């Protein structure tokens, strides 16, 4: 069994920032399991960028953390606040789709899910107590603080909606009503997290810890977005589509900034490769997983790049820093990196695609949650014959 120090290292490794880590250490020292929550609004279609937080959540589960994944449904407060992103009648189906995806990802990785639970916000966000706390927050939070907290997350427009000002407070209240010890999210959530640390104690609730993962650029550089098909790879994309998107990705020679492929190797492929090595080495927490469970590296490396012998042969890496350094020094060509990343992503997604094809319920919610835009085109109106008024039609034929 891992020591509290080893558990804390597993919980916090590879994270750019941890706020309130001492409170997590204290819980582990008492022999208790920390409780965490990660939230996701099922608006757009989930893409492989979700592997970044999910790979980290896998660490939480391995360390014995009780993880809650908060999904917004059609009657949830957060779904209403995100209504501009997806029609509400589709959100319920998308919520079920997200749950299928996330559970399959953990199963494919071989991560035990006995300490994982899914919660819909409507199970508590419409309660009398939650709403009363929301009103209390509204009475003590200034417009400036609310707007500042949501600046990185809530869409900024010239005439902002009131919903954008409510969002940070509601996300803070989720920590209390889900009964967690820390919240996990992207580094773009930092202002909301510090907002929660400031205002929850003013309601008489304890301050939680906050853990943040780095944001991985999209394939075209910039943010990986569900609304931009060229910036991301879907969980269900075919091998041909995956390789085409990877081939077209921005990957300038020597440029390690805004390089989505390079960042994905460090945030997802290398950690998953290490997880598979740990399983081979006898990690008793991990399960067998689905599909090809070989690491993405050869002979103990966490990532390998195959090259023709004429260009130096295979490159093996044990750390991301070494790969990043070689790429920056132009020892790794973008074409070789793209080939290696494309092949790795194909292997990573193969068991997820296979599970989807074998699950009729999952296919049904996918069809209902993400209807084909071409099928929604209005049918041509059928011509209906309307007889002319009396006296205006053709004269009657007389015999």
């Amino acid at each position: 069994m891992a020591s509290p120090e080893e558990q804390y290292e597993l919980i916090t490794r590879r994270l750019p920032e941890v706020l309130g880590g001492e409170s997590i250490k204290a819980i582990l020292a008492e022999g208790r399991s920390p409780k965490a929550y990660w939230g996701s609004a099922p608006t757009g279609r989930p893409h492989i960028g979700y592997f970044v937080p999910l790979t980290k959540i896998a660490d939480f589960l391995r360390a014995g953390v009780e993880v809650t994944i908060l999904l917004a449904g059609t009657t949830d407060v957060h779904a209403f606040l995100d209504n501009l992103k997806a029609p509400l009648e589709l959100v319920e189906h998308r919520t079920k789709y997200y749950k299928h995806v996330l559970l399959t990802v953990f199963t494919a990785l071989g991560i035990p899910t006995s300490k994982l639970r899914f919660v819909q916000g409507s199970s508590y966000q419409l309660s009398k107590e939650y709403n009363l706390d929301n009103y209390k927050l509204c009475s003590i939070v200034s417009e400036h603080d609310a707007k500042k907290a949501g600046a990185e997350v809530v869409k900024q427009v010239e005439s902002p909606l009131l919903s954008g000002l409510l969002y940070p407070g509601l996300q803070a209240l989720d920590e209390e009503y889900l009964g967690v010890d820390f919240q996990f999210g992207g580094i773009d959530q930092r202002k909301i997290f510090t907002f929660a640390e400031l205002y929850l104690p003013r309601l008489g609730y304890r301050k939680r810890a906050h853990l943040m993962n780095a944001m991985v650029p999209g394939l075209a550089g910039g943010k990986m977005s569900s609304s931009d098909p060229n910036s991301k790879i879907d969980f269900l994309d075919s091998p041909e589509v995956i390789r085409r998107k990877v081939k077209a990705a921005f990957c300038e020679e020597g440029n390690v900034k805004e390089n989505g492929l390079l960042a994905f190797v460090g945030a997802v492929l290398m950690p998953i490769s290490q997880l598979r090595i740990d399983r081979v080495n006898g990690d008793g927490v991990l399960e067998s997983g689905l599909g090809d469970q070989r690491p993405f590296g050869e002979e103990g490396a966490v990532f390998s790049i195959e090259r023709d012998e004429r260009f130096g042969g295979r490159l093996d890496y044990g750390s991301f820093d070494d790969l990043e350094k070689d790429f920056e020094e132009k020892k790794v060509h973008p074409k070789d990196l793209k080939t290696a990343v494309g092949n790795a992503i194909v292997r990573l997604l193969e068991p997820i695609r296979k599970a989807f094809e074998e699950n009729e319920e999952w296919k049904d919610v996918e069809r209902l949650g993400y209807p084909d835009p071409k099928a929604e085109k209005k049918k041509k109106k059928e011509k209906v014959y309307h007889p002319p008024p009396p006296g205006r039609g053709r004269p009657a034929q007389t015999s």
Side-chain angles (χ1 to χ4, degrees):
M1 184 176 178
S3 68
E5 292 75 21
E6 290 170 333
Q7 287 176 290
Y8 184 76
E9 165 61 23
L10 191 54
I11 291 169
T12 58
R13 66 179 181 178
R14 294 191 300 269
L15 294 178
E17 188 167 10
V18 175
L19 301 176
E22 292 303 317
S23 64
I24 300 175
K25 288 181 180 179
I27 293 169
L28 293 170
E30 294 172 6
R32 294 191 289 119
S33 296
K35 297 178 180 179
Y37 116 73
W38 174 73
S40 181
T43 48
R45 193 179 179 103
H47 49 74
I48 63 167
Y50 279 72
F51 265 113
V52 177
L54 296 183
T55 301
K56 191 61 229 174
I57 291 172
D59 279 344
F60 298 162
L61 293 169
R62 288 177 70 187
V65 176
E66 296 178 17
V67 178
T68 295
I69 293 181
L70 178 65
L71 296 175
T74 54
T75 59
D76 293 302
V77 174
H78 292 301
F80 278 103
L81 299 186
D82 269 349
N83 191 22
L84 294 178
K85 295 182 181 179
L88 287 178
E89 61 269 17
L90 298 182
V91 176
E92 184 174 8
H93 300 302
R94 294 184 180 185
T95 298
K96 295 176 182 177
Y97 180 82
Y98 269 58
K99 187 174 179 179
H100 277 293
V101 169
L102 302 183
L103 276 174
T104 305
V105 167
F106 290 126
T107 303
L109 294 179
I111 302 299
T113 57
S114 60
K115 290 193 174 183
L116 176 68
R117 67 168 181 155
F118 289 88
V119 172
Q120 286 187 252
S122 56
S123 64
Y124 64 89
Q125 288 170 346
L126 300 179
S127 68
K128 174 183 175 182
E129 294 77 15
Y130 186 92
N131 278 282
L132 182 58
D133 276 340
N134 180 32
Y135 290 136
K136 287 179 182 177
L137 273 180
C138 290
S139 71
I140 60 175
V141 176
S142 68
E143 177 190 4
H144 173 270
D145 282 3
K147 192 172 183 179
K148 179 182 177 182
E152 301 295 325
V153 179
V154 179
K155 187 176 181 180
Q156 302 297 298
V157 294
E158 185 175 343
S159 182
L161 297 174
L162 181 59
S163 60
L165 300 178
L166 293 176
Y167 208 105
L170 298 177
Q171 187 169 332
L173 287 178
D174 289 340
E175 295 180 359
E176 173 64 24
Y177 282 80
L178 290 172
V180 299
D181 301 303
F182 70 88
Q183 185 180 171
F184 171 60
I187 197 74
D188 61 336
Q189 302 268 325
R190 191 183 194 281
K191 291 179 180 178
I192 289 183
F193 291 164
T194 55
F195 174 95
E197 292 185 7
L198 175 64
Y199 280 102
L200 277 187
R202 296 187 183 184
L203 295 182
Y205 300 135
R206 64 187 173 93
K207 182 170 72 173
R208 270 69 176 188
H210 295 93
L211 279 59
M212 287 157 270
N213 65 264
M215 305 299 289
V216 172
L219 298 181
K223 187 176 180 181
M224 192 177 293
S225 170
S226 296
S227 60
D228 181 3
N230 295 319
S231 77
K232 50 90 177 183
I233 292 172
D234 189 276
F235 280 103
L236 303 179
D237 277 345
S238 67
E240 295 76 19
V241 171
I242 292 169
R243 290 193 171 95
R244 174 173 55 78
K245 288 183 177 181
V246 169
K247 184 179 180 180
F250 174 77
C251 188
E252 183 181 31
E253 187 175 15
N255 186 351
V256 298
K257 304 296 183 183
E258 294 298 308
N259 189 328
L261 293 182
L262 194 62
F264 191 78
V265 173
V268 177
L269 296 180
M270 283 186 167
I272 290 176
S273 194
Q274 184 61 57
L275 180 150
R276 293 175 174 179
I277 293 172
D278 292 345
R279 181 189 293 112
V280 173
N281 291 337
D283 188 314
V285 175
L286 297 170
E287 298 172 353
S288 58
L290 302 176
D292 186 348
Q293 291 294 308
R294 289 174 300 154
F296 299 120
E298 299 291 339
E299 298 181 6
V302 290
F303 193 73
S304 295
I305 296 175
E306 298 289 346
R307 299 186 305 179
D308 192 288
E309 291 296 336
R310 294 176 298 167
F311 304 112
R314 190 183 74 211
L315 291 169
D316 296 324
Y317 292 98
S319 73
F320 179 69
D321 289 343
D322 290 341
L323 171 60
E324 186 177 49
K325 182 174 181 292
D326 276 5
F327 190 86
E328 190 170 26
E329 294 177 355
K330 300 184 180 180
K331 295 178 182 178
V332 175
H333 193 274
K335 182 180 178 181
D336 294 325
L337 178 67
K338 287 183 175 184
T339 299
V341 172
N343 290 338
I345 293 176
V346 168
R347 280 176 52 197
L348 184 63
L349 297 185
E350 187 275 333
I352 298 172
R353 272 196 316 276
K354 186 172 184 291
F356 172 77
E357 292 299 335
E358 295 173 351
N359 191 319
E360 293 302 321
E361 180 188 353
W362 189 358
K363 288 193 282 188
D364 285 342
V365 296
E366 191 268 346
R367 177 178 51 82
L368 294 170
Y370 303 95
D372 185 354
K374 297 177 182 178
E376 291 184 335
K377 289 184 178 180
K378 293 182 178 179
K379 295 180 180 179
K380 291 183 179 180
K381 291 184 178 180
E382 295 182 6
K383 292 183 178 180
V384 179
Y385 173 72
H386 296 283
R392 293 192 182 182
R394 289 183 177 181
Q397 295 292 329
T398 56
S399 55

